[in-house]
Amino acid sequence: MFWNSFYNICKLKKTTPTAVCKILGLSTGLPTAWKNGTIPKGDILVKLAEHLGCTTDELLGVQKKQPTEKQAALIQKLKEKLLNI
């Protein structure tokens, strides 16, 4: 899951996982380990996210839950009330 997200984000940013590791001073062997299923430690994950301009959740492939219709309507009402204050 991490690898796919990381690879796709790199692709969107027109770079490669190896190039990102080189720029950040990380081992260029790490992408192979990640491709094989390991997940980077927290500090490395943060560095990757900062460099790529994304969140750690995006790198980990965490999907945001979408609000239900009822929740979305309530959120909209709250926004409208806040704007009218």
Side-chain angles (χ1 to χ4, degrees), residues 7-25:
Y7 179 81
N8 288 330
I9 292 169
C10 285
K11 196 171 175 181
L12 284 173
K13 302 289 182 170
K14 298 187 184 330
T15 188
T16 65
T18 302
V20 170
C21 286
K22 280 183 185 179
I23 290 168
L24 296 177

Side-chain angles (χ1 to χ4, degrees), residues 42-79:
D43 59 331
I44 293 175
L45 194 61
V46 169
K47 284 181 185 181
L48 293 169
E50 287 174 350
H51 177 76
L52 293 168
C54 64
T55 66
T56 53
D57 279 352
E58 288 171 312
L59 281 174
L60 292 171
V62 175
Q63 299 286 329
K64 272 188 166 182
K65 289 186 179 179
Q66 295 297 319
T68 64
E69 239 179 83
K70 189 175 180 179
Q71 290 169 330
L74 180 60
I75 290 168
Q76 185 60 36
K77 284 181 185 179
L78 288 171
K79 284 181 183 178

